[in-house]
Every structure is written in C-alpha cells, then in structure tokens.
Amino acid sequence: MLRSLYIQNYALIEKLDIGFETGFSVITGETGAGKSIILGAIGLLLGQRADVKAIRRGASKCIIEARFDISAYGMRPFFEENELEYDDEECILRREVQASGKSRAFINDTPASLAQVKELGEQLIDVHSQHQNLLLNKEGFQLNVLDILAHNDDALEKYHSLYNEWKQLDRELSELTALAEQSRTDEDYLRFQLEQIEEAHLAEGEQSLLEQEAETLSHAEEIKAGLYRIEQSFFSDEGGLLSFLKDNLNTLNGLKKVYQPAGELSDRMESAYIELKDISQEVSSQGESIEFNPARLDEVNDRLNLIYSLQQKHRVQTLEELIALADQYRNKLSEITSYDDRIAELTARKDAQYDRVKKQAAVLTKARAAAAREVEKQLAGRLVPLGMPNVRFQVEMGLKKEPGVQGEDTVNFLFSANKNGTLQSISSVASGGEIARVMLSIKAMIAGAVKLPTIVFDEIDTGVSGEIADRMADMMQEMGDRNRQVISITHLPQIAARGRAHYKVYKEDSDTETNSHIRRLTDEERVEEIAHMLSGATLTEAALSNAKALLTRIS
C-alpha cells in the first residue's frame, strides 16, 4: 500500500508531500492542474526513462520518493535475492534525476539498479492509464488473466524452467550443427595440410641437429686442417708441447729430494700433462672423424629446406610448432568425425526435453480452459450492471502453436455489446468506453483472486456517466475493501463522492512561477469540490445539495 508520496522540483511541483489511505480514494482537479505530472513522477519510480526537461526550472535535481506498507506482501525473497536491506513493515523507493542527465535510484536508502527499482515498483503499484486499455487485445495480457485466475504460478514456474532448458538445448544444437557444417567444408583442406606435415616424418629436436651438422659439413676442410695443426703442436718430434712438458715434469721430480715445493709443483704439472694428453688424443680422434661429404651435405640441406618451407607455409618459427600444428589438425579432424554422434546425442536430449515441455504446456492448457469459462461467467456478471445488458463475452482457445514463453495456447477475447451482434476480437468492435469498463471488470475480477498492489486508475471512467459511473464506483470501492488500496483520478462527481479519502490537485500562480499542489480535502471542502464538478465554476444551492446527497451514499 502506498503510504506517502514526496516530490521535489519536478515539472510544476516545487515540493509536495502527501499521505494516502487504504481502501478507495479519489483524486480530482481541473484539466492541466498537475494530475498527469504526479503520474509522471510515479512513473519514474516504476523505472521509466528520466527526462532532464522535467526538472523544475532553476533546480539542480528532482527527487521522487514513495513509502509503501509491504507487511502483507511477503517480499523478503526479492530483497534477499537482490541483496537489499529488508524491513517487513515499510519499503522506500527513491529516484533522483540530476540536471546533468545522471539518474540514481534507491531502495530503502540503498543504491539500486533501475532494473531492480522497476521490478520492485511493478509489484507495489499498478498505474492503469488509458493507453493500458490497448493491452486488452494482446494475447500475452489475455493469457496472464487466465493464469492469474487459474492460480498457475507453480505450473508456470515449472513450465518456464523446462522451456528455458529446451531453448538452451536448441541453441546448443544449432551452434553445433553450424560448426559441423563449417568444419566439413574445411575437412579436405585440413586433411591435405596434415598429410603434408605427416609425410615429412618430423621429430622433435631434429632441426637443431641438422643445422649443426650442415654447419660442420660446410666447413669440414677448415675444421680438419685446424685440428691437425693442434694435434701437431702436441706431438711434434721437434718442440712438441707434450714432450716439453714431460721433460719439465722429470726435472721437478728430480728436485723433490732437495727442494720441497717441487713436489707440489710436480703433482700439479702431472695433472696438467694427463689432461693435455687426453685433449690431444680427443683432437686426433675428432680430426680423423671429420671428412668432406658433399652427398651428405646435400641430403641435410634438402631436409632443412623441407622443414623451412613447411614453417614458412604454416607461419610458424620452430619445428615443435609444426608438430603441435599437426596435432591440432588431427584433433579438428577427430571432432569432425565425432560431430554426427554429438549431434545425434544432443538431438535426442532436445527431443526428450521438448516432450516434457509439451506435457507441462498441456497442464497449463487444462487450467486455462477451466479459467476461461470462469472469466466468461464473471465478466458477463460484472458488465451487465455497467450498462451492457446484452453483452456477450467469450474466451476463444484457438489452435495450439509451437511452445513459447507462455505455453502453446492461443487465446482471443471475443466481445459483442449487442444481443444479435457477431462475436469479434474485443479491440475491433468495442468502443473506448466499453473497453474501459471491460478492463475495470477484469481488474476487479483479478483483485478477487490475488493480492494486487496499489492500483491507480487514470480516468478509467472516460466516456461514461450517470448510473454506469455509479456502478464503476461500486466496483472500485469493492476492490478497495479488505485492506486493498485503489486510487482513481476522475472527473465524475459520482465516483469522486465514493472515495474514503478525496485529494485535490490544483495550481497556484505567482508573478514569477506556477506551482502544482495536492491536498486532502476536509468534509466541507469535499462538498464544494463535488458541487463544482456538478455545476462548474459557479456554485449553486442545487449543486451543493446534490453534492451532499452523493456523499451521504458512502457506506
């Protein structure tokens, strides 16, 4: 229930702070007094787009804040799911729009996203404006009416879960099928590339070994000549390094008896002699193994040229990357061959899920068919007192369609206000006043089935008068019973007189600005306001008497 509404610096409103009552209340005021401005401010709390032009001239920002009594709404799950502070008695929605264009939203003084404010706001207040009457011919709205009266909440939740899983499987299957088709197009190319790499019989580390061998073979004579010179310096009969070292070692050994340090020097020199002798033998062996082999050099270069050409073709730098690329080609080809099995498995899962969706959709259809008969019965009973004695209303359950978000049912509300008229889609045959009465009847019918949020009717009585207006007032008053809250913006005195509380919207002009205000009328002020609605600007005794008579009818 809407407890209070605070508006600051919005359009013609400088500051407004008004409390609201439970039950049925009315708001009246001259055309242009600011009723639509108040509804526009409420619209911001319902997540509508903010327009900086709505900020009062000269102000830096506008603020709209509403306090709701949510003690009977059981909304804890929403707050917990969205990690918002929860008060089981009161909820505060606030929207601030800066002149710079920035907009901020708050739930219980905690910053919230616009989506969160919109979701919560729609559960707290329902503004029924004239454009909402257009919903009456929308299949989604019609199905929603049937679901509410059929108490299909649990069945719909189960259906949505099954449906979403089915659609997910359908998307996965489509993606896999498209991938399979593309991969099959690439199969010949992949196979050719793989065969070309495999024919090379590449081995890890091979490239570096071949490059070293090619370098050695290309300089074989130079290497062999250099090793021979080194070998000669070791073993030359005249002045060979090992011969000189051996003589020096013998000299040191002869001095050990008379010169103690000679022993240590001898040991060190002997180690050097052994090492150098080993090196000389290795040099000799290496020199003998080196030979100039043009045939082997050609063979190595051909192998390297093959590796280099494959690297260049596949745009890689190393032999290991080529081998890894071959593995990738094998994996892709393996996937291609497995696509059929994967597609078959996913198709079977999708088909099984589709059967579950169809089965749950049938549960919805059965409940809706029963609810449709109840809608026909209740609406006829509600519309007859609203000036349609010969009304006929039928809920047509059409041919089933492919399962969608709301099931597989097609539904159409058929209407005829005349006894012998042909039943047709309601929007094509009903007048604006008739559609307004049907919508009011539907909302009243829904109010009897579920706990509706605060409902604001914006001139739903357009196009009616007299006794029909009385009956519409009865219906809104009935909706306001049992601690529900219904607020009607009206120009009809018959409806204005029926509210538990009466609020008036009015403008005040000064030399520099115009301000819109709203206030609750006292009993005496109500008499005058309704008398003005009956007679116009000039108050007459007859109008005052009629106003008092209308007000005495409030139960």
Side-chain angles (χ1 to χ4, degrees):
M1 183 188 90
L2 178 63
R3 281 181 173 173
S4 65
L5 180 65
Y6 175 83
I7 303 173
Q8 180 180 343
N9 294 327
Y10 181 77
L12 297 180
I13 298 174
E14 181 180 12
K15 185 177 289 186
L16 178 155
D17 193 355
I18 188 75
F20 290 94
E21 297 288 335
T22 186
F24 178 45
S25 301
V26 295
I27 298 176
T28 61
E30 298 292 336
T31 299
K35 299 187 295 297
S36 60
I37 295 174
I38 294 174
L39 288 179
I42 292 175
L44 288 180
L45 295 178
L46 300 180
Q48 291 180 9
R49 184 177 178 181
D51 186 350
V52 296
K53 295 178 181 178
I55 299 175
R56 186 175 174 83
R57 187 174 61 183
S60 60
K61 68 177 179 179
C62 69
I63 301 173
I64 297 94
E65 180 178 289
R67 293 174 179 266
F68 293 89
D69 180 349
I70 61 170
S71 56
Y73 284 63
M75 304 192 71
R76 182 183 291 274
F78 171 85
F79 285 83
E80 291 180 347
E81 180 180 339
N82 290 277
E83 299 180 349
L84 295 167
E85 183 179 343
Y86 177 67
D87 182 332
D88 57 8
E89 292 292 331
E90 185 178 68
C91 172
I92 303 173
L93 289 186
R94 187 168 79 254
R95 187 91 180 269
E96 298 179 0
V97 182
Q98 309 281 342
S100 63
K102 292 183 179 179
S103 171
R104 297 193 301 168
F106 301 85
I107 298 175
N108 289 341
D109 291 325
T110 300
S113 69
L114 201 58
Q116 289 173 324
V117 170
K118 178 179 174 64
E119 182 181 353
L120 179 58
E122 289 176 348
Q123 297 179 59
L124 296 175
I125 187 166
D126 173 18
V127 178
H128 183 99
S129 57
Q130 292 186 37
H131 79 270
Q132 198 181 35
N133 290 335
L134 300 176
L135 290 173
L136 191 55
N137 200 45
K138 301 293 184 181
E139 186 173 80
F141 174 80
Q142 296 172 355
L143 284 171
N144 191 41
V145 170
L146 298 182
D147 286 330
I148 289 173
L149 295 176
H151 300 286
N152 273 345
D153 291 353
D154 292 341
L156 268 173
E157 184 177 353
K158 182 177 180 180
Y159 174 82
H160 288 152
S161 177
L162 295 170
Y163 174 80
N164 290 336
E165 186 175 346
W166 171 58
K167 294 302 289 184
Q168 178 62 31
L169 289 170
D170 183 60
R171 286 190 291 270
E172 291 178 8
L173 181 59
S174 297
E175 291 171 2
L176 184 61
T177 301
L179 186 60
E181 290 176 357
Q182 179 61 42
S183 296
R184 289 190 181 99
T185 302
D186 298 339
E187 183 176 6
D188 290 341
Y189 170 79
L190 292 172
R191 199 171 297 283
F192 172 76
Q193 300 296 331
L194 176 61
E195 288 175 354
Q196 192 176 50
I197 295 175
E198 287 182 332
E199 286 174 357
H201 300 291
L202 303 174
E204 287 189 11
E206 177 186 11
Q207 182 177 355
S208 60
L209 293 175
L210 287 171
E211 288 172 340
Q212 292 173 12
E213 185 178 0
E215 197 70 21
T216 299
L217 288 169
S218 298
H219 300 84
E221 293 184 355
E222 178 184 345
I223 295 169
K224 195 173 184 68
L227 292 175
Y228 178 77
R229 286 196 300 273
I230 294 172
E231 182 184 1
Q232 290 303 306
S233 71
F234 277 106
F235 289 105
S236 173
D237 293 335
E238 298 180 1
L241 180 60
L242 289 177
S243 176
F244 276 119
L245 196 57
K246 184 67 174 175
D247 288 343
N248 291 332
L249 182 59
N250 290 334
T251 302
L252 283 173
N253 286 333
L255 294 173
K256 283 193 295 184
K257 293 180 180 181
V258 296
Y259 182 60
Q260 186 177 358
E264 181 183 350
L265 292 172
S266 173
D267 292 340
R268 291 170 62 187
M269 189 173 289
E270 185 173 7
S271 296
Y273 176 79
I274 294 171
E275 178 66 18
L276 288 172
K277 187 177 181 180
D278 185 64
I279 291 173
S280 68
Q281 291 172 347
E282 181 68 22
V283 168
S284 177
S285 175
Q286 291 287 342
E288 291 177 1
S289 66
I290 296 297
E291 60 177 300
F292 178 65
N293 189 341
R296 175 57 184 167
L297 180 59
D298 290 342
E299 183 181 323
V300 170
N301 284 331
D302 288 343
R303 181 65 176 171
L304 285 172
N305 287 335
L306 172 62
I307 293 173
Y308 294 151
S309 65
L310 289 173
Q311 288 173 343
Q312 185 177 14
K313 178 179 180 180
H314 295 283
R315 298 180 181 179
V316 296
Q317 301 296 320
T318 67
L319 181 108
E320 285 67 30
E321 288 178 293
L322 270 177
I323 294 173
L325 186 62
D327 289 337
Q328 292 179 24
Y329 289 149
R330 291 188 193 94
N331 291 335
K332 287 182 179 179
L333 289 169
S334 177
E335 287 180 358
I336 291 172
T337 58
S338 69
Y339 276 138
D340 289 341
D341 291 339
R342 292 163 61 190
I343 289 173
E345 187 269 336
L346 199 54
T347 300
R349 287 174 56 195
K350 176 192 166 187
D351 291 344
Q353 187 66 18
Y354 179 76
D355 291 339
R356 287 189 282 271
V357 170
K358 292 279 288 183
K359 185 176 179 180
Q360 187 61 23
V363 173
L364 291 175
T365 299
K366 183 178 179 180
R368 286 166 175 169
R373 308 289 78 81
E374 184 64 23
V375 169
E376 293 170 348
K377 178 181 175 182
Q378 284 201 39
L379 276 185
R382 291 180 180 276
L383 290 171
V384 168
L386 296 181
M388 293 188 241
N390 297 314
V391 67
R392 287 186 297 149
F393 188 90
Q394 180 179 326
V395 180
E396 180 183 58
M397 301 287 287
L399 296 174
K400 292 184 183 300
K401 60 183 179 181
E402 184 70 5
V405 175
Q406 289 183 290
E408 58 181 359
D409 298 313
T410 56
V411 63
N412 191 12
F413 284 3
L414 304 179
F415 174 85
S416 174
N418 303 312
K419 187 173 184 179
N420 297 316
T422 302
L423 284 167
Q424 297 183 50
S425 293
I426 188 166
S427 65
S428 62
V429 293
S431 66
E434 288 170 339
I435 287 179
R437 280 174 273 175
V438 172
M439 284 296 285
L440 176 59
S441 298
I442 288 175
K443 296 241 171 171
M445 180 173 59
I446 291 173
V450 295
K451 178 67 176 179
L452 284 179
T454 293
I455 302 176
V456 179
F457 287 111
D458 181 19
E459 299 183 3
I460 196 171
D461 47 35
T462 299
V464 301
S465 59
E467 185 180 353
I468 296 174
D470 262 341
R471 301 289 76 78
M472 293 181 76
D474 286 338
M475 199 170 291
M476 285 186 277
Q477 194 172 30
E478 174 193 341
M479 292 173 66
D481 291 341
R482 300 177 185 175
N483 292 320
R484 294 191 182 96
Q485 186 180 46
V486 178
I487 301 171
S488 177
I489 297 174
T490 182
H491 287 290
L492 295 182
Q494 298 96 323
I495 291 179
R498 303 293 288 278
R500 266 180 73 182
H502 187 154
Y503 303 88
K504 181 178 180 179
V505 178
Y506 60 97
K507 286 195 302 189
E508 287 184 341
D509 295 318
S510 68
D511 294 337
T512 58
E513 59 185 8
T514 299
N515 285 318
S516 284
H517 304 276
I518 183 172
R519 62 184 177 87
R520 182 172 178 174
L521 299 181
T522 65
D523 291 343
E524 293 77 13
E525 290 171 333
R526 287 192 74 181
V527 173
E528 290 190 8
E529 174 69 8
I530 292 171
H532 278 301
M533 295 173 74
L534 287 165
S535 65
T538 303
L539 277 181
T540 65
E541 287 298 325
L544 288 169
S545 179
N546 285 340
K548 292 176 182 177
L550 285 174
L551 286 166
T552 57
R553 297 172 57 189
I554 302 175
S555 54

Short mmCIF file of all heavy atoms in Angstrom, two decimals, residues 328-369:
data_model
loop_
_atom_site.label_atom_id
_atom_site.label_comp_id
_atom_site.label_asym_id
_atom_site.label_seq_id
_atom_site.Cartn_x
_atom_site.Cartn_y
_atom_site.Cartn_z
N GLN A 328 46.92 -30.30 -33.78
CA GLN A 328 45.67 -29.54 -33.87
C GLN A 328 44.81 -30.01 -35.05
O GLN A 328 43.59 -30.15 -34.93
CB GLN A 328 45.98 -28.04 -34.02
CG GLN A 328 46.59 -27.40 -32.80
CD GLN A 328 46.90 -25.92 -33.03
OE1 GLN A 328 46.31 -25.27 -33.88
NE2 GLN A 328 47.86 -25.41 -32.27
N TYR A 329 45.45 -30.24 -36.17
CA TYR A 329 44.72 -30.74 -37.34
C TYR A 329 44.08 -32.10 -37.04
O TYR A 329 42.93 -32.36 -37.41
CB TYR A 329 45.65 -30.86 -38.55
CG TYR A 329 46.08 -29.53 -39.14
CD1 TYR A 329 47.32 -29.40 -39.75
CD2 TYR A 329 45.26 -28.42 -39.10
CE1 TYR A 329 47.73 -28.18 -40.30
CE2 TYR A 329 45.65 -27.21 -39.64
CZ TYR A 329 46.88 -27.09 -40.24
OH TYR A 329 47.28 -25.89 -40.79
N ARG A 330 44.84 -32.97 -36.37
CA ARG A 330 44.28 -34.29 -36.02
C ARG A 330 43.06 -34.15 -35.11
O ARG A 330 42.06 -34.86 -35.28
CB ARG A 330 45.35 -35.13 -35.33
CG ARG A 330 46.49 -35.57 -36.23
CD ARG A 330 47.41 -36.55 -35.53
NE ARG A 330 48.66 -36.73 -36.27
CZ ARG A 330 49.78 -36.04 -36.02
NH1 ARG A 330 49.81 -35.16 -35.02
NH2 ARG A 330 50.86 -36.24 -36.74
N ASN A 331 43.17 -33.23 -34.11
CA ASN A 331 42.05 -33.03 -33.17
C ASN A 331 40.81 -32.51 -33.89
O ASN A 331 39.69 -32.95 -33.62
CB ASN A 331 42.46 -32.07 -32.06
CG ASN A 331 43.49 -32.66 -31.12
OD1 ASN A 331 43.59 -33.88 -30.98
ND2 ASN A 331 44.27 -31.81 -30.46
N LYS A 332 41.02 -31.55 -34.81
CA LYS A 332 39.89 -30.99 -35.54
C LYS A 332 39.23 -32.05 -36.42
O LYS A 332 38.00 -32.12 -36.51
CB LYS A 332 40.35 -29.80 -36.39
CG LYS A 332 40.66 -28.56 -35.57
CD LYS A 332 41.06 -27.40 -36.47
CE LYS A 332 41.34 -26.14 -35.63
NZ LYS A 332 41.76 -25.00 -36.49
N LEU A 333 40.06 -32.87 -37.07
CA LEU A 333 39.51 -33.94 -37.90
C LEU A 333 38.78 -34.97 -37.05
O LEU A 333 37.74 -35.51 -37.46
CB LEU A 333 40.63 -34.60 -38.71
CG LEU A 333 41.22 -33.75 -39.84
CD1 LEU A 333 42.49 -34.39 -40.39
CD2 LEU A 333 40.19 -33.57 -40.95
N SER A 334 39.30 -35.20 -35.85
CA SER A 334 38.64 -36.12 -34.94
C SER A 334 37.28 -35.57 -34.51
O SER A 334 36.29 -36.30 -34.42
CB SER A 334 39.52 -36.38 -33.72
OG SER A 334 38.86 -37.22 -32.79
N GLU A 335 37.25 -34.25 -34.27
CA GLU A 335 35.98 -33.61 -33.89
C GLU A 335 34.98 -33.71 -35.03
O GLU A 335 33.79 -33.96 -34.80
CB GLU A 335 36.22 -32.14 -33.54
CG GLU A 335 36.91 -31.94 -32.20
CD GLU A 335 37.12 -30.45 -31.90
OE1 GLU A 335 36.74 -29.62 -32.77
OE2 GLU A 335 37.66 -30.14 -30.83
N ILE A 336 35.45 -33.51 -36.23
CA ILE A 336 34.55 -33.58 -37.39
C ILE A 336 33.92 -34.96 -37.49
O ILE A 336 32.71 -35.09 -37.72
CB ILE A 336 35.31 -33.22 -38.68
CG1 ILE A 336 35.69 -31.74 -38.67
CG2 ILE A 336 34.48 -33.55 -39.92
CD1 ILE A 336 36.59 -31.32 -39.81
N THR A 337 34.70 -35.97 -37.29
CA THR A 337 34.17 -37.33 -37.38
C THR A 337 33.24 -37.65 -36.21
O THR A 337 32.40 -38.55 -36.31
CB THR A 337 35.32 -38.36 -37.42
OG1 THR A 337 36.13 -38.20 -36.24
CG2 THR A 337 36.17 -38.18 -38.66
N SER A 338 33.39 -36.87 -35.08
CA SER A 338 32.53 -37.14 -33.92
C SER A 338 31.28 -36.27 -33.89
O SER A 338 30.42 -36.45 -33.04
CB SER A 338 33.31 -36.93 -32.62
OG SER A 338 33.61 -35.56 -32.42
N TYR A 339 31.20 -35.29 -34.84
CA TYR A 339 30.06 -34.38 -34.82
C TYR A 339 28.73 -35.12 -34.96
O TYR A 339 27.75 -34.78 -34.29
CB TYR A 339 30.18 -33.34 -35.95
CG TYR A 339 31.04 -32.15 -35.58
CD1 TYR A 339 31.94 -31.62 -36.49
CD2 TYR A 339 30.94 -31.56 -34.33
CE1 TYR A 339 32.74 -30.53 -36.16
CE2 TYR A 339 31.73 -30.46 -33.99
CZ TYR A 339 32.62 -29.96 -34.91
OH TYR A 339 33.41 -28.89 -34.57
N ASP A 340 28.68 -36.10 -35.83
CA ASP A 340 27.42 -36.81 -36.04
C ASP A 340 26.92 -37.44 -34.75
O ASP A 340 25.72 -37.36 -34.43
CB ASP A 340 27.60 -37.88 -37.12
CG ASP A 340 27.75 -37.27 -38.50
OD1 ASP A 340 27.37 -36.09 -38.67
OD2 ASP A 340 28.25 -37.95 -39.41
N ASP A 341 27.84 -38.07 -34.01
CA ASP A 341 27.43 -38.70 -32.74
C ASP A 341 26.97 -37.65 -31.73
O ASP A 341 25.96 -37.84 -31.04
CB ASP A 341 28.61 -39.49 -32.15
CG ASP A 341 28.94 -40.72 -32.98
OD1 ASP A 341 28.06 -41.17 -33.74
OD2 ASP A 341 30.08 -41.22 -32.88
N ARG A 342 27.72 -36.53 -31.68
CA ARG A 342 27.35 -35.47 -30.73
C ARG A 342 26.02 -34.83 -31.11
O ARG A 342 25.19 -34.51 -30.25
CB ARG A 342 28.45 -34.42 -30.67
CG ARG A 342 29.74 -34.95 -30.03
CD ARG A 342 30.93 -34.06 -30.35
NE ARG A 342 30.75 -32.71 -29.84
CZ ARG A 342 31.55 -31.69 -30.15
NH1 ARG A 342 32.57 -31.88 -30.98
NH2 ARG A 342 31.33 -30.50 -29.64
N ILE A 343 25.81 -34.62 -32.41
CA ILE A 343 24.54 -34.04 -32.86
C ILE A 343 23.38 -34.97 -32.56
O ILE A 343 22.31 -34.55 -32.11
CB ILE A 343 24.61 -33.71 -34.37
CG1 ILE A 343 25.54 -32.51 -34.61
CG2 ILE A 343 23.23 -33.44 -34.95
CD1 ILE A 343 25.81 -32.21 -36.06
N ALA A 344 23.60 -36.26 -32.78
CA ALA A 344 22.54 -37.24 -32.50
C ALA A 344 22.20 -37.27 -31.02
O ALA A 344 21.02 -37.32 -30.62
CB ALA A 344 22.98 -38.63 -32.98
N GLU A 345 23.24 -37.21 -30.16
CA GLU A 345 23.02 -37.23 -28.71
C GLU A 345 22.28 -35.98 -28.25
O GLU A 345 21.33 -36.05 -27.45
CB GLU A 345 24.37 -37.35 -28.00
CG GLU A 345 24.28 -37.55 -26.49
CD GLU A 345 24.29 -36.23 -25.72
OE1 GLU A 345 24.80 -35.24 -26.28
OE2 GLU A 345 23.77 -36.20 -24.58
N LEU A 346 22.68 -34.81 -28.79
CA LEU A 346 22.05 -33.56 -28.39
C LEU A 346 20.62 -33.47 -28.93
O LEU A 346 19.72 -32.95 -28.26
CB LEU A 346 22.87 -32.38 -28.91
CG LEU A 346 22.64 -31.01 -28.25
CD1 LEU A 346 22.80 -31.11 -26.75
CD2 LEU A 346 23.61 -29.98 -28.81
N THR A 347 20.40 -34.00 -30.13
CA THR A 347 19.05 -34.03 -30.70
C THR A 347 18.12 -34.87 -29.84
O THR A 347 16.96 -34.49 -29.59
CB THR A 347 19.08 -34.57 -32.13
OG1 THR A 347 19.92 -33.73 -32.95
CG2 THR A 347 17.69 -34.62 -32.73
N ALA A 348 18.62 -36.01 -29.37
CA ALA A 348 17.80 -36.88 -28.52
C ALA A 348 17.45 -36.17 -27.21
O ALA A 348 16.31 -36.25 -26.73
CB ALA A 348 18.55 -38.18 -28.24
N ARG A 349 18.42 -35.46 -26.62
CA ARG A 349 18.17 -34.71 -25.39
C ARG A 349 17.15 -33.60 -25.62
O ARG A 349 16.24 -33.38 -24.81
CB ARG A 349 19.46 -34.12 -24.85
CG ARG A 349 20.42 -35.14 -24.23
CD ARG A 349 21.74 -34.48 -23.85
NE ARG A 349 21.53 -33.35 -22.95
CZ ARG A 349 22.46 -32.43 -22.68
NH1 ARG A 349 23.65 -32.52 -23.28
NH2 ARG A 349 22.21 -31.44 -21.86
N LYS A 350 17.30 -32.90 -26.74
CA LYS A 350 16.36 -31.81 -27.06
C LYS A 350 14.95 -32.36 -27.27
O LYS A 350 13.97 -31.78 -26.77
CB LYS A 350 16.85 -31.09 -28.31
CG LYS A 350 15.89 -29.99 -28.78
CD LYS A 350 16.23 -29.50 -30.16
CE LYS A 350 15.09 -28.68 -30.74
NZ LYS A 350 15.30 -28.32 -32.14
N ASP A 351 14.84 -33.47 -27.99
CA ASP A 351 13.51 -34.05 -28.24
C ASP A 351 12.85 -34.51 -26.94
O ASP A 351 11.64 -34.34 -26.76
CB ASP A 351 13.63 -35.23 -29.22
CG ASP A 351 14.01 -34.77 -30.62
OD1 ASP A 351 13.88 -33.56 -30.90
OD2 ASP A 351 14.44 -35.62 -31.43
N ALA A 352 13.65 -35.10 -26.06
CA ALA A 352 13.11 -35.54 -24.78
C ALA A 352 12.64 -34.35 -23.95
O ALA A 352 11.59 -34.39 -23.30
CB ALA A 352 14.15 -36.34 -24.01
N GLN A 353 13.43 -33.26 -23.99
CA GLN A 353 13.04 -32.05 -23.25
C GLN A 353 11.80 -31.42 -23.86
O GLN A 353 10.94 -30.91 -23.15
CB GLN A 353 14.20 -31.06 -23.24
CG GLN A 353 13.98 -29.83 -22.36
CD GLN A 353 13.90 -30.18 -20.89
OE1 GLN A 353 14.32 -31.25 -20.47
NE2 GLN A 353 13.34 -29.27 -20.10
N TYR A 354 11.70 -31.48 -25.18
CA TYR A 354 10.53 -30.95 -25.87
C TYR A 354 9.26 -31.68 -25.42
O TYR A 354 8.21 -31.05 -25.21
CB TYR A 354 10.71 -31.08 -27.37
CG TYR A 354 9.55 -30.58 -28.20
CD1 TYR A 354 9.35 -29.22 -28.39
CD2 TYR A 354 8.67 -31.47 -28.80
CE1 TYR A 354 8.28 -28.75 -29.15
CE2 TYR A 354 7.60 -31.02 -29.57
CZ TYR A 354 7.41 -29.66 -29.74
OH TYR A 354 6.35 -29.20 -30.48
N ASP A 355 9.37 -32.99 -25.27
CA ASP A 355 8.22 -33.77 -24.79
C ASP A 355 7.81 -33.33 -23.38
O ASP A 355 6.61 -33.25 -23.07
CB ASP A 355 8.55 -35.27 -24.80
CG ASP A 355 8.70 -35.82 -26.21
OD1 ASP A 355 8.18 -35.19 -27.14
OD2 ASP A 355 9.35 -36.88 -26.36
N ARG A 356 8.81 -33.04 -22.54
CA ARG A 356 8.49 -32.58 -21.19
C ARG A 356 7.83 -31.20 -21.22
O ARG A 356 6.91 -30.91 -20.45
CB ARG A 356 9.76 -32.55 -20.34
CG ARG A 356 10.27 -33.93 -19.94
CD ARG A 356 11.39 -33.86 -18.93
NE ARG A 356 12.66 -33.51 -19.54
CZ ARG A 356 13.52 -34.40 -20.03
NH1 ARG A 356 13.25 -35.70 -19.97
NH2 ARG A 356 14.66 -34.00 -20.57
N VAL A 357 8.31 -30.33 -22.14
CA VAL A 357 7.70 -29.00 -22.30
C VAL A 357 6.24 -29.13 -22.75
O VAL A 357 5.35 -28.47 -22.22
CB VAL A 357 8.50 -28.16 -23.32
CG1 VAL A 357 7.75 -26.88 -23.69
CG2 VAL A 357 9.87 -27.82 -22.76
N LYS A 358 6.01 -30.01 -23.73
CA LYS A 358 4.65 -30.21 -24.24
C LYS A 358 3.73 -30.74 -23.14
O LYS A 358 2.56 -30.33 -23.03
CB LYS A 358 4.68 -31.18 -25.41
CG LYS A 358 5.37 -30.65 -26.65
CD LYS A 358 4.46 -29.76 -27.48
CE LYS A 358 3.38 -30.56 -28.17
NZ LYS A 358 2.54 -29.71 -29.04
N LYS A 359 4.24 -31.62 -22.34
CA LYS A 359 3.44 -32.21 -21.27
C LYS A 359 3.05 -31.14 -20.25
O LYS A 359 1.89 -31.09 -19.80
CB LYS A 359 4.23 -33.34 -20.59
CG LYS A 359 3.44 -34.09 -19.53
CD LYS A 359 4.26 -35.25 -18.97
CE LYS A 359 3.48 -35.99 -17.89
NZ LYS A 359 4.26 -37.14 -17.34
N GLN A 360 4.01 -30.28 -19.89
CA GLN A 360 3.70 -29.22 -18.92
C GLN A 360 2.81 -28.16 -19.56
O GLN A 360 1.96 -27.57 -18.88
CB GLN A 360 5.00 -28.59 -18.40
CG GLN A 360 4.80 -27.59 -17.27
CD GLN A 360 4.17 -28.20 -16.04
OE1 GLN A 360 4.24 -29.41 -15.83
NE2 GLN A 360 3.54 -27.37 -15.22
N ALA A 361 2.99 -27.90 -20.86
CA ALA A 361 2.11 -26.94 -21.55
C ALA A 361 0.67 -27.43 -21.52
O ALA A 361 -0.27 -26.63 -21.42
CB ALA A 361 2.59 -26.75 -22.99
N ALA A 362 0.48 -28.75 -21.61
CA ALA A 362 -0.87 -29.31 -21.55
C ALA A 362 -1.51 -29.08 -20.18
O ALA A 362 -2.72 -28.87 -20.07
CB ALA A 362 -0.83 -30.81 -21.86
N VAL A 363 -0.68 -29.10 -19.14
CA VAL A 363 -1.19 -28.80 -17.79
C VAL A 363 -1.71 -27.36 -17.75
O VAL A 363 -2.78 -27.09 -17.20
CB VAL A 363 -0.07 -29.00 -16.74
CG1 VAL A 363 -0.54 -28.52 -15.37
CG2 VAL A 363 0.35 -30.46 -16.68
N LEU A 364 -0.94 -26.43 -18.35
CA LEU A 364 -1.39 -25.04 -18.41
C LEU A 364 -2.68 -24.90 -19.22
O LEU A 364 -3.60 -24.17 -18.83
CB LEU A 364 -0.30 -24.16 -19.04
CG LEU A 364 0.98 -23.95 -18.23
CD1 LEU A 364 2.00 -23.16 -19.05
CD2 LEU A 364 0.70 -23.22 -16.92
N THR A 365 -2.74 -25.60 -20.34
CA THR A 365 -3.92 -25.51 -21.20
C THR A 365 -5.19 -25.95 -20.45
O THR A 365 -6.23 -25.29 -20.54
CB THR A 365 -3.74 -26.39 -22.45
OG1 THR A 365 -2.61 -25.92 -23.19
CG2 THR A 365 -4.97 -26.35 -23.34
N LYS A 366 -5.08 -27.03 -19.73
CA LYS A 366 -6.24 -27.54 -18.99
C LYS A 366 -6.71 -26.53 -17.95
O LYS A 366 -7.92 -26.26 -17.82
CB LYS A 366 -5.87 -28.86 -18.32
CG LYS A 366 -7.03 -29.52 -17.58
CD LYS A 366 -6.60 -30.86 -16.99
CE LYS A 366 -7.76 -31.50 -16.22
NZ LYS A 366 -7.36 -32.81 -15.63
N ALA A 367 -5.76 -25.95 -17.21
CA ALA A 367 -6.12 -24.98 -16.18
C ALA A 367 -6.69 -23.71 -16.82
O ALA A 367 -7.65 -23.11 -16.30
CB ALA A 367 -4.90 -24.65 -15.33
N ARG A 368 -6.12 -23.29 -17.94
CA ARG A 368 -6.60 -22.09 -18.61
C ARG A 368 -8.00 -22.28 -19.18
O ARG A 368 -8.82 -21.35 -19.16
CB ARG A 368 -5.63 -21.69 -19.72
CG ARG A 368 -4.33 -21.09 -19.22
CD ARG A 368 -3.27 -21.01 -20.30
NE ARG A 368 -2.06 -20.33 -19.83
CZ ARG A 368 -0.91 -20.31 -20.50
NH1 ARG A 368 -0.82 -20.95 -21.67
NH2 ARG A 368 0.14 -19.68 -20.01
N ALA A 369 -8.26 -23.45 -19.73
CA ALA A 369 -9.60 -23.72 -20.28
C ALA A 369 -10.66 -23.60 -19.20
O ALA A 369 -11.75 -23.04 -19.42
CB ALA A 369 -9.62 -25.11 -20.92
#
